[in-house]
Amino acid sequence: MTATETAVRTIKFYTNGSWEDTPGRTLHPIANPATGCVIAQVPYATAEDVDRTARAAHAAFLKWREVPVAERVQVFYRYKDLLEKHAGEIARILSAENGKTVDDAAGSVRRAIQMVEVACGMPSLMMGQSLENVSKGIDCQTIRQPLGVCAGITPFNFPAMVPMWMFPFAIACGNTFILKPSEKVPLTPTRTAELLHDAGLPAGVYNLLHGSREAVDALLAHPLVRAISFVGSSPVAKYVYQTAAAHGKRVQALGGAKNHLVAMPDANVEKSVEAIMGSAFGAAGERCLAGSVLVAVGESRPLLDALVRKVRDLRIGDGAAPGTEMGPLVTAEHRARVLGYIEKGVAEGAQLMVDGRQRMSGGCFLGPTVFDGVTPGMTIAREEIFGPVLSVIHVNDLDEAIALVNSSAFGNTTSIFTSDGKSAREYASRVEVGMVGVNVGVAAPMAFFPFSGWKNSFYGDLHAHGRDAVAFYTEQKVIMSRWF
């Protein structure tokens, strides 16, 4: 399909300060996952597009890096104001292309704005250190300087928030940026780019390209791109890390997860169930912090009975409809993938307590699913499903729970539900996971802390946002001075 054959909106690239038409390109449809209606068409960038954009971004960098940091952040003060004014609109756009509820989308937009707020503090965050008379008459200081052109490759599940883990920090540090968001959700990053343009960012400092693997590979190999930030599945994260690093780039590649929620016998049933519901089925389970394995320690029947009742009552529907608690999955292809995992769970002997297949309807809907009697060797216990499927594994004590969690190839996040401080402290200390929650369903760090995944959930050294982001997007220079 070409641009002349459809009346639906055609998404544009944003390069060097202008919105760029792409005539004659094959356009790929974007459908509302709740209704199946096509709401936009998106062109895919070529290697030539990436090259042209990288050159423009590099030219802009030579000027932008000379702008004082106190002036650079003024753009983000204005941007924050615009994002807040348009937050509801952005949430509705996000819901329409991703499927999540408007309330869930609004929460992720709020998190995105928090990233911008922290980036506004860059004059303090970029400060170096100094020491007088490190030797007789010699002073020493460190300064942080920007890298150059940086690129971000982001997933479909948080099209407002995840890109802002990256570009506000990178740009406030003095770099320029190219964003390649998921081709499944181009509308949200397009709208947030429009607002960044309105905030007065100079041409070429921020650029937006859409596309698939050709664009990604071109970014990973381009000699003018100094750093790559990625969020997606672990196999692709590993590929991005290895490929970009082989081309001499700095890389942070955030991968997938298999997150465990440990419920102790003394856990508050009502509050724990509420948190578990949000963790397992919020955003339809399409997030790398979703709790997909419930580890029930000892006697757990009251908690499981209460959980099953809540799951069966969960209101499913169009994310834009009032009262909806869980929307559809992002595409029919992704729903088919999740259905495949449910079928594997049944085939491997797990017991279906709640079968989400019974609540499938038009669009890309799939109901929340709960398996009991899951063993650690089952596929649904080991692999990331990225959908509304919760597996229950029973263990005898905390030591067994910790051993189970530590045996996972992933280490993104985990939570423990307990009323006992000793159990909580021991779990947080011994578990081999980068982010730990205590009576918190989704242990998502605020913008001023790092997103600290471990094991196969992260490839690189410096994590996203917080002070790690400042270190990632800058190079530290040491200056020794003596005056005669």
Side-chain angles (χ1 to χ4, degrees):
M1 183 178 293
T2 64
T4 57
E5 294 172 331
T6 178
V8 229
R9 178 185 178 184
T10 299
I11 302 300
K12 299 180 179 182
F13 300 156
Y14 179 70
T15 58
N16 205 20
S18 299
W19 292 99
E20 178 184 330
D21 288 316
T22 52
R25 299 286 186 90
T26 298
L27 299 175
H28 303 263
I30 304 300
N32 182 321
T35 65
C37 295
V38 174
I39 55 177
Q41 305 279 351
V42 61
Y44 286 2
T46 64
E48 290 75 18
D49 293 323
V50 170
D51 178 62
R52 178 170 40 82
T53 303
R55 292 178 185 278
H58 179 68
F61 166 69
L62 299 178
K63 297 177 181 179
W64 182 244
R65 68 181 178 184
E66 300 300 329
V67 175
V69 63
E71 293 182 25
R72 293 198 298 258
V73 299
Q74 296 307 311
V75 174
F76 287 102
Y77 281 114
R78 296 192 294 270
Y79 188 42
K80 173 182 176 294
D81 183 58
L82 289 170
L83 288 170
E84 287 178 335
K85 288 178 179 177
H86 293 272
E89 173 199 354
I90 296 168
R92 290 189 294 274
I93 293 170
L94 199 162
S95 174
E97 66 178 347
N98 170 276
K100 66 177 64 185
T101 68
V102 171
D103 285 347
D104 195 352
S108 71
V109 173
R110 178 64 250 171
R111 284 287 187 132
I113 294 171
Q114 289 170 355
M115 300 295 161
V116 178
E117 290 173 345
V118 173
C120 286
M122 199 55 66
S124 297
L125 294 173
M126 276 188 74
M127 281 185 179
Q129 297 175 308
S130 64
L131 183 62
E132 184 182 37
N133 285 326
V134 294
S135 188
K136 187 174 178 67
I138 298 177
D139 304 330
C140 185
Q141 69 175 133
T142 64
I143 60 174
R144 290 197 171 275
Q145 294 184 316
L147 302 172
V149 181
C150 302
I153 303 162
T154 56
F156 71 81
N157 55 343
F158 289 97
M161 181 183 71
V162 172
M164 292 193 208
W165 288 1
M166 303 172 186
F167 73 80
F169 292 92
I171 293 173
C173 284
N175 302 285
T176 54
F177 201 86
I178 302 170
L179 177 67
K180 205 301 290 181
S182 168
E183 63 276 16
K184 297 181 178 69
V185 287
L187 291 165
T188 302
T190 293
R191 185 65 186 120
T192 53
E194 289 171 347
L195 296 177
L196 186 54
H197 176 89
D198 293 345
L201 193 68
V205 176
Y206 175 84
N207 305 273
L208 175 65
L209 295 175
H210 301 285
S212 56
R213 180 162 182 167
E214 181 180 357
V216 170
D217 284 343
L219 287 168
L220 301 184
H222 200 285
L224 291 177
V225 176
R226 294 287 313 282
I228 296 285
S229 299
F230 171 85
V231 177
S233 69
S234 286
V236 181
K238 185 177 182 179
Y239 169 79
V240 167
Y241 177 73
Q242 292 176 335
T243 306
H247 284 89
K249 303 186 192 311
R250 185 173 292 189
V251 192
Q252 53 180 199
L254 287 70
K258 195 64 180 177
N259 304 311
H260 297 77
L261 309 173
V262 174
M264 299 296 290
D266 60 3
N268 180 295
V269 170
E270 181 181 355
K271 293 181 178 179
S272 297
V273 166
E274 182 179 350
I276 293 165
M277 287 287 295
S279 182
F281 306 117
E286 295 174 321
R287 58 185 178 194
C288 63
L289 294 188
S292 56
V293 179
L294 175 59
V295 183
V297 180
E299 173 52 45
S300 58
R301 186 48 51 191
L303 184 142
L304 293 180
D305 288 345
L307 176 66
V308 167
R309 287 194 297 270
K310 283 273 191 180
V311 172
R312 287 175 175 158
D313 290 340
L314 195 69
R315 295 190 295 274
I316 303 169
D318 189 326
T324 298
E325 294 177 305
M326 191 181 88
L329 299 183
V330 67
T331 62
E333 292 78 12
H334 185 62
R335 181 177 69 170
R337 178 181 180 275
V338 176
L339 285 170
Y341 275 106
I342 295 175
E343 292 163 4
K344 284 182 182 179
V346 173
E348 291 180 0
Q351 175 191 351
L352 268 174
M353 299 177 72
V354 182
D355 188 349
R357 297 173 298 182
Q358 297 175 353
R359 301 184 69 179
M360 291 171 60
S361 59
C364 304
F365 290 98
L366 173 66
T369 297
V370 180
F371 280 103
D372 199 1
V374 177
T375 60
M378 290 181 180
T379 302
I380 58 173
R382 294 182 291 104
E383 296 184 10
E384 183 178 44
I385 299 174
F386 222 65
V389 180
L390 180 65
S391 300
V392 181
I393 298 178
H394 294 267
V395 298
N396 295 314
D397 54 35
L398 183 60
D399 285 338
E400 192 176 342
I402 292 171
L404 171 65
V405 175
N406 288 349
S407 69
S408 175
F410 300 100
N412 222 24
T413 188
T414 185
S415 293
I416 184 170
F417 297 93
T418 181
S419 299
D420 179 55
K422 180 180 182 296
S423 296
R425 186 177 187 278
E426 183 176 355
Y427 186 76
S429 176
R430 290 173 55 194
V431 76
E432 297 169 2
V433 177
M435 293 170 281
V436 181
V438 176
N439 296 318
V440 174
V442 181
M446 301 294 282
F448 30 82
F449 286 95
F451 194 93
S452 185
W454 287 11
K455 297 182 179 178
N456 288 348
S457 294
F458 179 73
Y459 296 88
D461 298 305
L462 295 165
H463 293 83
H465 57 79
R467 289 189 177 273
D468 270 27
V470 180
F472 180 78
Y473 289 119
T474 58
E475 290 180 307
Q476 193 166 213
K477 184 178 286 184
V478 181
I479 302 172
M480 304 282 286
S481 302
R482 178 167 62 188
W483 297 94
F484 298 106

